[in-house]
Amino acid sequence: MDTVLLQKEAGIAAITLNRPHVHNAVSMELVDELHHVLADCQADSQVKVLIITGTGKSFVSGGDLNQFIAARGHDQAYPLLSKVAGLLSAIDTFTKPVIAMINGAAVGGGCEFAGACHFRFASEQARFGFVQIGMHITTGWGGGSRLLDMLPESKALALLLAGERLTAQEAKSYGFVDEIYPHDQLQAAVHAFAKKIAAQPLEGIEAYMQLVRWKREGIVRAERIEREVDQCAKLWGSPAHVAVVEKFLNKQ
């Protein structure tokens, strides 16, 4: 059974984690497969937006316990945690937008995985929770740092320190989830949003994703503005740009 399914259509790459027997737990092999899929989508100029979801009742349940529970102490745990953190950083910094279509439970590492995506759309049946603290550990894939960047500090700390499980509506009230849909409408709603992005030119999409990366890198706003102007200037006057302007002028 393929653990990662990839389907491309009309500029959208739909990526499905396919380990329902372990609630789509993240194994080292799954990490390798996802890196391969990301590289494929990066190289494909027809792909403009990615959607990641899970098979069955879970989005991502966390780390594969068969691999992670065997680790004892820092020297054994660090390589495992670091490898998954590297994958989530690759998603977080991907040059094309990545949408988490959260079909079910996203608890522990599942929340960290969802937080690495640029958008989070959830089924009303989805459940969330940064439950690591109750397990005598912390977020280990970079999810806590991303959460502190994403939400007001007090809200992020409340999620991390209380370790509570949340409904989709509660996660949305914190600002972690963007939109909630009835379970049977989730796929259609997410794909409708993705189609709006896929209808746009790739060079513009990648340019705006570059603005996000510059901000996250801590580049001061004045420098980011200068780079933004430079990006636009490089696109200005291209045949595609001129064609759109001329079409507009002809309508006038």
Side-chain angles (χ1 to χ4, degrees):
M1 180 179 70
D2 293 333
T3 58
V4 180
L5 307 177
L6 173 62
Q7 182 177 7
K8 299 177 185 177
E9 185 177 359
I12 302 170
I15 301 166
T16 304
L17 310 184
N18 190 36
R19 306 187 74 214
H21 58 293
V22 288
H23 301 282
N24 304 317
V26 177
S27 66
M28 297 299 101
E29 295 77 18
L30 180 68
V31 171
D32 291 336
E33 283 198 52
L34 279 172
H35 273 301
H36 178 76
V37 168
L38 291 176
D40 179 286
C41 292
Q42 177 64 60
D44 190 341
S45 61
Q46 298 301 309
V47 171
K48 298 180 180 179
V49 57
L50 284 60
I51 299 171
I52 299 180
T53 192
T55 299
K57 297 182 179 180
S58 296
F59 173 67
V60 176
S61 61
D64 189 318
L65 289 180
N66 289 326
Q67 294 179 348
F68 280 83
I69 201 63
R72 293 291 186 273
H74 176 276
D75 289 350
Q76 293 182 19
Y78 183 83
L80 299 177
L81 298 171
S82 181
K83 184 168 182 174
V84 185
L87 170 67
L88 298 194
S89 291
I91 294 172
D92 187 12
T93 60
F94 203 65
T95 62
K96 302 170 185 180
V98 181
I99 303 168
M101 185 166 74
I102 306 165
N103 54 299
V107 177
C111 262
E112 295 197 61
F113 199 112
C117 299
H118 303 110
F119 301 94
R120 283 161 294 283
F121 297 132
S123 160
E124 61 187 3
Q125 297 178 15
R127 295 295 181 267
F128 300 85
F130 287 89
V131 299
Q132 290 90 335
I133 194 168
M135 301 169 67
H136 298 268
I137 55 172
T138 62
T139 48
W141 299 344
S145 297
R146 290 188 182 90
L147 192 67
L148 285 162
D149 285 341
M150 184 188 310
L151 304 182
E153 187 176 283
S154 60
K155 288 185 176 295
L157 281 175
L159 292 176
L160 296 171
L161 294 174
E164 293 181 327
R165 294 175 182 261
L166 307 173
T167 64
Q169 189 58 53
E170 288 170 333
K172 186 173 187 287
S173 71
Y174 273 93
F176 185 69
V177 168
D178 296 304
E179 297 292 345
I180 303 170
Y181 299 97
H183 189 73
D184 60 355
Q185 298 175 24
L186 176 65
Q187 183 173 354
V190 172
H191 277 261
F193 175 69
K195 286 178 182 178
K196 293 179 181 179
I197 297 174
Q200 306 306 323
L202 179 60
E203 60 267 27
I205 294 170
E206 291 183 330
Y208 278 127
M209 297 307 294
Q210 185 68 64
L211 295 187
V212 174
R213 287 191 296 279
W214 290 335
K215 179 177 181 292
R216 291 177 177 176
E217 289 169 4
I219 297 172
V220 297
R221 187 169 64 175
E223 174 63 20
R224 285 187 277 125
I225 290 172
E226 178 59 32
R227 293 185 184 190
E228 182 180 354
V229 172
D230 184 62
Q231 273 195 150
C232 184
K234 290 174 180 176
L235 297 172
W236 196 277
S238 68
H241 173 227
V242 171
V244 173
V245 173
E246 289 181 343
K247 183 179 180 181
F248 172 80
L249 292 175
N250 289 335
K251 284 183 178 180
Q252 299 301 308

